Each structure stands twice: as C-alpha cells, then as structure tokens.
Amino acid sequence: MIAGLFGLVAALRAKDLKLRRFLARYASSWIVLPMLLMLGAGWWYFSVSNAELKGEMFKGFWFIQGYWTALLILSIALFAGGLALLIRLPGALSPAVAGVLIAVGLGWMGSFEFLREMARKPYVVRGYLYSSSVLAKDLPRIDAEGWIKNAVWVRKLSKPDSGEDMLASQCLPCHTVGGRRDLAKLTASFDIHGMEEQLEAQGGSLYMPPFAGTAEDREILANYIVRAVQKKGGTDAGSSATEANPAEEKREGEKASP
Amino acid sequence: MNIALGGSILNAAGRLRKKGPIPAAANLPTTIALAVNLGVPPLLFVQVLFGQFFYTSSVLMASYWLAVVPILILAYYAAYIMQRKGRPAANAAWSVVSAVLLLAIAFIYVNNMSLMLRYQNWPGYFADKRGLMLDLSDPSLFPRFFHFVIGSLAVASISWSAWAHFRERRGKGADDHAKKTGLKLFWIFTSIQMLVGLLWLVSLPKETMRLFMGGSAYATILLACGVLMAIGLLAHAIMGKFKIAARHPRPDDHRNGPHSRRPANERPVQGIQGCGLESRASVRPPRPLPRDLRGRHSRDRLDDKKSPWVRRGKRRLEVNYPAWVIDGVDGGLIIAIVSIIHVYIAHFAVGGGIFLVVTETIARRRKDAALLASVKGFTKFFLLLTMVAGGMTGVGIWFTIALVQPAGTSALIHQFVFGWATEWVFFIVEISALLFYHYLWDKLEARTHLAIGWIYAAAAWLSLAVIDGILSFMLTPGKWLASGSFWDGLFNPGYLPSLAFRTASL
C-alpha cells in the first residue's frame, strides 16, 4: 500500500500524459489491492494478540477510541482515494492529491503504531517489564524493601528530593508536568491522602503500572506531587479537595490517568 | 567514518579556498552511508557489554545525544545538495554546512565517551534532568576531540591518494596531483596528530597515563606499536611523495619542472612504492582503550565505593538508570515521532524495492523506454528518501528508546543480540544492493540489474522479518516468559500475523 502511495510521485514526474495516466493507475492498484489483504491480516493480528492477552487487550482503555476511529477513517480515505484514481480519475492526480494521500498514509501508520503501543500498557515487554522500568519479578521485593532503598538514581537524604527523583522514574515515562497527560491537571482534585490512595490502587487499572515501593515511598511521592507538582501546574486544587470522598477520587483518578 | 568526517572537512576547506571540491567528493554521501551502517555493530555491542555506562551517560546528555539524529540527516542531505552542478557558491556553503554538522556530531560523541568514563560527574544529573550535561570539565575532552578529528583528516588525506592510485590502476588516468596532495596532507596531519596524541596522553588521569608508560605491558606495547607505525607511515608518505614528484614532471609544478633533479624520462615507478601500505593507513597511534576494558583495573574500579551503580551482595535490580525529563513532553511522544516517521519510510523502503524491480521488469518486457526512464528517476527519489531519512531515523529509534527506556532497550538488546546482528547483515546487503542498483543502472546488463533489484527487495524484506520478531515480542512474548529462549521470543504468537499485516501494508 505504502509503495503505491509513494509510487504516485513517479507518476507525477512523468511528463508524457499517457505514461502519467498509466503510472497513476498502476500505483493506485498498489494502494488498493494490498488493502484487501490487509483487512484479513489485520483481523488475524488483532485476534491472535487479543487471544494471547486473554481478551484483555484494550480492556478498560477508554482513551484509545480516538486512535481506532482515526485508523478506520484514514483507511477508508486511502482506499477511496486509491480506488478513485484507479478506476475513474487517473488524470486527476496532482501534487496536492499525492501529497494529501501520502500524509493520510503517515497518519494511518501513526494511528496503527499508537494502538499497538497502547496495547502493551502497562508493560514495555508484556508480563516482564513495566513502563516504569520495574521488572515484574522485582515488584514484590521492591514493595517489601522500598523503591528508594533499591533505586540507584535517587537522592536519599531529603524527602522532597527523593520524591522528585521517584516522580521522574515512575511517573514521567508516560506523564508530564504541564504538557501531555499533565500530572498537575490529572491530580488536581487529590489531597495527599487521595493521592496515596490513587497510587495504591493504580495497579488495577490495566493501563497504569502498579506503584513500586513501600507505604513510606508512596507517602513521599504523594507529598511531592501534591506540594510541588500541583503548584508547578499553577493550580492550588490540592488543598481545596480535602473534603472529597476518597472513593469518588479513586474513580476519578482512574478515569483521569491514561 | 574517518573518511566521511575528514573528507567533508577537507572538501569544505578546498571549496572555501576556491580550489574546488576534493577529487572524491562525489563519494562522500556513500561514505556517510557506509560509516553509519558500519557504526551499527559497535553501537549494538557497546550496549551489550557496557550498557550500564553507555545508557547512563547518554541519558545525562540526552538532548544533545538525540540531536545527533537530525544533525546527521541534515549533514547527509547537505552532502548530496553540495553536488549540484553550476552553483559553486551555494555548493561551497552546503559543503561547509555538512562538515560543520559532522564536526558537531563528533563533539557530541566525544562528550559521551568522556561522560561514560567519568562517573564521578554523574550526580550532576540531579541538578538538571533535561539531559543537557556535557563533560566540558574533563581536561582530556578537547585533546580527545582533536585527536579524533585530526586523525580523520589524516585518514581522509591518505584515502585521497589511494583513491587516485586505484583509479589509475583501473585505467581511468593518472592524477599525480591528487596523490601528492593527499600524501602531503597526510604527513602534515599525522605530525600534528602525534603532538595532539602526546597532549591527550598527558591530559589523562595520572593512573591511566601510567598504564601507557610501562604500568601495563599491554597498553604500553600497543601505544609503542602505534607510534612506531605512525613514524613508519610518515617516512613512507614523504618518500612516496618524492617518488611521484619525480615520475612525471608537471609544468605547473616548479619543483619538478625542467630543473628537476631526475630526468623526466626515467622509468615510471609503478604506483606509489609499496602501495599495499595504503590500506593500512588507517592504523593510527592507538587511542587509549576505554579505561574499563582493562582487566585488572576494571575490577578495581567496579569495587570503587564511589561508583553509583555498584550493588554488592544481592542481585542488582533493574531500577538502574536515570530518567530523562523534558518539560511538558513525555518520552513516549518522542519515541512516537521518531518511530512513526521511520516506520512509514521503512515500510516504503521494503515495499518500494519490490515496486521498483517489478515495474522495471514490466518496462523491460514491454520494451517501454519511457517507463524504464521513469523507474530510473524514481530510484533516485527512493534512494534519497529511504536511505537517508529512513536509515538514519532507524538508528534514531535506537537512540531514542535507549534514552527514554534504557531498561527496556537493554532487555531487548540482551535477549536478541544476534537477532539485531542478523538484521544488520540484511541492512548492509540492502544498502549495498541499493547503491549498486542506483549507480550502476546503465552500466549493467538488464538481467544482472534486475537480479540486484531482487537482492535488494529480499534483503529489505528479511530485515523486516527479523525486526518484526523483536517488535511483536514486546506485546506477545508468549512462551518466552517461561522459557527465556531466543526462538520462543522471536517466533512469538504475534509474529506471523504481524508480519503478514506489515507485508500487506508495504
């Protein structure tokens, strides 16, 4: 399919009109025909992976809907564009048309790869290594002995420093402060207690890795998030949410923590 | 790599001095491609053996380290752009751009090598996690940098002579001027190189320097061999230069004019005397080995209490690397940007190869000259897009994942080290075949040319088939989780469906 998309460039370069129409048709057939195969192969790929993940691929992943929709719409756009060039309008090929189709192809590839990456959450290697760089088999030991005690890249003397380093290692692989998946916004409704509860519960969400560490580690991180991160994000919601019901916070936290 | 860097600098200097490009300037883009390609195995094995140093130091200077990828792509395109005909001023500017960018990469690399060794500076990470650390306080940084750069100039110079020599042998006409200039520059740069080498040696930490001064027989003998060979090469270069000068007096060369010491009709010397040595020209005074390569001392070092990553007694846990933090951007997004661009172009690199060779076959069967010309023109576009942007972003993914997820990258590298190595073999077959396919389009018979096209397509697809194993492994490791076997990991449950899907989307 992609070869056909770029093949349109070859058609554009042809000066002779007849050759150009031929190449436009020819390249479009490289777009359209493989897409029929892709339908089957894609279905096979999805069902094998989903079976391997015991039907839990994307379970609870409310936030990926956008990528699915994008993949579907872009696939249809590519197929329709290719088909139109192939059957009816090879003469309509212009640099703009080719450019748009190639860009749509890039978007298509992007949404597919995003979906594939998302499916792996909360792991880097499924069942082996979490996205927080913690090996699954190390988790019980870290939970018992402490993350701060075992980690190398952490300052151990001051709690805020430890919290900052823990944040960098356990949260920031996926989150940011002030950007995409902004922690300041996502945790805005938490006080320290709510934050600790969120950390304790997050392993159950299927897409966030469990927090690795002891209750003391959790407290240090929750303190850091509420005192430093929320301030950096420009909100003071941390103190105003103290009255909220912890159960509600937990639900909110799960929703709000892709 | 030396020829690419040194050649680009010499070329830019030649352009600036209005002497025109160096004779082999047209080969610079190919040299860059080969340098990058041949740099992949060292990059693989440094991760296998010294990941704990390499990943850490890379993360500490992550922003610069990742910048290597776009800088390299620009330098590479500049090396192509500077070849356009009839625009000397613009071409000179582009040649300078290319050389300066390559120098910047050299500087970033040297910094990483230095940071890797000087772990006492690593705690600087805690003051700023954005990966902006350079090791400018290392007294050996600049001697090391210049040792590499001047060495590359020397190697590029001698390759210039060798290039002229081999052209002459293939009957493409003698170019004594090129040979002589190359040799002259070679001995000038090598002389400077020896001084810089001395400076570097002195700037090393005392205990390291002592190893080269008799402290370790191995290190001392290596250094002594290097120095002796350099002196031998110098003598050889100077003698060779005189030999050529004596061979064909040139009217524009006063020293060899009618008053030359030797008669002009003297029997010509076949090539440069002992020309076999050219191939050994790359033997420069050896750079001191990375400190931790030295057996006894490396163990002393590992036991050093100051080392932040040593953990005695219990098994070391994998919470071992610093995390690169950029304000407002998460690592996943950076990986996504680099890898989506790469994957798109790389799919085209595989599918486009099949497209090219199939279309060429059709054109040749139909004897359709216009279509054939189209395919040929398309090959150039294909080469420029897939080999430069596609190939470089591929290495770029490695750079990126190592910075964002060192622990995960390390796991993949160690689990699949020979998978990666195999992929590299296909990669080098792929780019060699593509270069032949493009540059020898008119020079080969149709059959041979098509065969090369098919070799390209096959190698490209096979490289996809290997990498697909590692990629699908991350989602569906399957039996590997229990067995830990290479083959279980590679041929994981998701392997074939993923390969089928990607092959269809090519």
Side-chain angles (χ1 to χ4, degrees), chain B residues 30-54:
Chain B
T30 307
T31 320
I32 296 177
L34 290 176
V36 172
N37 191 291
L38 295 174
V40 170
L43 182 64
L44 171 63
F45 289 110
V46 80
Q47 293 181 72
V48 174
L49 296 173
F50 296 108
Q52 67 276 48
F53 296 102
F54 175 73

Side-chain angles (χ1 to χ4, degrees), chain B residues 130-362:
Chain B
R130 289 175 297 169
L132 295 171
M133 191 192 276
L134 289 178
D135 203 10
L136 300 178
S137 66
D138 180 359
S140 68
L141 181 78
F142 285 99
R144 184 197 297 266
F145 174 68
F146 285 114
H147 199 69
F148 277 92
V149 171
I150 293 170
S152 77
L153 290 169
V155 174
S157 309
I158 197 76
S159 74
W160 187 349
S161 288
W163 179 82
H165 172 74
F166 287 118
R167 268 177 75 86
E168 185 180 339
R169 272 190 151 187
R170 284 191 300 170
K172 291 194 173 172
D175 187 352
D176 287 345
H177 182 65
K179 276 194 202 171
K180 251 190 329 183
T181 320
L183 285 172
K184 185 173 104 188
L185 290 173
F186 173 75
W187 73 257
I188 293 175
F189 287 130
T190 305
S191 312
I192 304 174
Q193 172 76 338
M194 292 179 86
L195 292 177
V196 177
L198 197 65
L199 198 66
W200 188 13
L201 189 65
V202 176
S203 71
L204 286 171
K206 281 219 173 68
E207 78 270 24
T208 314
M209 190 181 82
R210 266 190 224 115
L211 295 174
F212 291 97
M213 313 297 285
S216 145
Y218 177 61
T220 314
I221 290 173
L222 266 185
L223 180 64
C225 286
V227 173
L228 283 176
M229 280 187 213
I231 293 172
L233 272 172
L234 269 184
H236 181 72
I238 294 170
M239 274 160 33
K241 185 170 165 324
F242 285 127
K243 286 260 160 65
I244 300 170
R247 194 170 120 198
H248 307 294
R250 292 164 62 101
D252 58 329
D253 189 337
H254 300 299
R255 283 167 302 176
N256 301 299
H259 307 297
S260 168
R261 279 184 291 128
R262 299 191 185 198
N265 58 356
E266 192 183 272
R267 192 172 65 85
V269 182
Q270 278 304 313
I272 308 165
Q273 190 187 30
C275 60
L277 255 186
E278 268 87 329
S279 59
R280 268 184 266 160
S282 58
V283 181
R284 286 179 297 145
R287 305 166 190 131
L289 288 168
R291 289 177 212 174
D292 298 282
L293 263 179
R294 279 175 248 118
R296 184 166 60 82
H297 297 277
S298 70
R299 243 168 280 132
D300 293 347
R301 226 158 248 291
L302 291 185
D303 287 333
D304 189 337
K305 285 207 178 85
K306 276 185 283 179
S307 171
W309 55 272
V310 170
R311 195 165 287 278
R312 284 170 295 277
K314 283 189 193 169
R315 184 175 64 83
R316 199 159 48 88
L317 296 178
E318 282 293 338
V319 260
N320 255 314
Y321 299 103
W324 178 30
V325 176
I326 329 156
D327 297 331
V329 183
D330 61 301
L333 187 66
I334 302 172
I335 295 185
I337 293 170
V338 180
S339 55
I340 289 170
I341 295 174
H342 169 72
V343 170
Y344 194 44
I345 301 175
H347 276 60
F348 172 50
V350 183
I354 304 170
F355 180 87
L356 278 174
V357 70
V358 168
T359 318
E360 190 194 342
T361 311
I362 295 175

Side-chain angles (χ1 to χ4, degrees), chain A residues 1-2 6 26 34 52 102 105-106 113 116 120 126 129 131 133 138 145 150 152-153 164-165 168 176 180, chain B residues 56 126 129 308 311 314-315 317-318 320 329-330 344 348 359 405 408 474-475 477-478 502 504-506:
Chain A
M1 177 190 85
I2 297 171
F6 282 98
Y26 176 71
E52 188 63 20
I102 288 175
L106 181 65
E113 296 291 343
R116 189 185 54 72
R120 279 212 320 264
R126 186 103 203 157
L129 180 72
S131 31
S133 296
D138 286 344
E145 294 176 6
N150 273 300
V152 173
W153 286 89
E164 187 194 324
D165 299 338
T176 67
R180 209 162 80 103
Chain B
T56 310
F126 293 116
K129 295 177 175 158
R311 195 165 287 278
K314 283 189 193 169
R315 184 175 64 83
L317 296 178
E318 282 293 338
N320 255 314
V329 183
D330 61 301
Y344 194 44
F348 172 50
T359 318
Q405 244 323 331
M474 292 192 286
L475 179 61
R502 286 187 189 275
S505 70
L506 289 175

Side-chain angles (χ1 to χ4, degrees), chain B residues 321-492:
Chain B
Y321 299 103
W324 178 30
V325 176
I326 329 156
D327 297 331
V329 183
D330 61 301
L333 187 66
I334 302 172
I335 295 185
I337 293 170
V338 180
S339 55
I340 289 170
I341 295 174
H342 169 72
V343 170
Y344 194 44
I345 301 175
H347 276 60
F348 172 50
V350 183
I354 304 170
F355 180 87
L356 278 174
V357 70
V358 168
T359 318
E360 190 194 342
T361 311
I362 295 175
R364 289 198 192 273
R365 285 222 179 117
R366 292 185 179 179
K367 300 205 165 54
D368 185 340
L371 181 59
L372 196 62
S374 279
V375 184
K376 189 183 166 192
F378 190 56
T379 307
K380 176 137 203 199
F381 165 80
F382 179 78
L383 177 105
L384 286 176
L385 182 64
T386 61
M387 215 161 86
V388 183
M392 301 305 112
T393 47
V395 180
I397 291 189
W398 247 13
F399 274 56
T400 321
I401 61 174
L403 294 176
V404 174
Q405 244 323 331
T409 310
S410 170
L412 292 182
I413 292 280
H414 283 94
Q415 182 57 36
F416 293 111
V417 55
F418 286 104
W420 295 106
T422 312
E423 207 228 335
W424 171 75
V425 173
F426 292 133
F427 181 34
I428 197 163
V429 172
E430 189 184 329
I431 72 157
S432 314
L434 181 56
L435 288 169
F436 286 130
Y437 187 77
H438 173 62
Y439 287 107
L440 302 180
W441 187 286
D442 297 320
K443 292 179 186 160
L444 292 175
E445 275 179 51
R447 256 177 82 89
T448 322
H449 190 253
L450 279 171
I452 290 179
W454 282 114
I455 291 174
Y456 172 82
W461 186 82
L462 284 168
S463 74
L464 165 74
V466 176
I467 201 74
D468 181 65
I470 300 173
L471 202 60
S472 53
F473 160 81
M474 292 192 286
L475 179 61
T476 50
K479 276 191 276 178
W480 174 87
L481 285 173
S483 71
S485 135
F486 174 88
W487 298 109
D488 284 345
L490 198 70
F491 297 117
N492 60 79

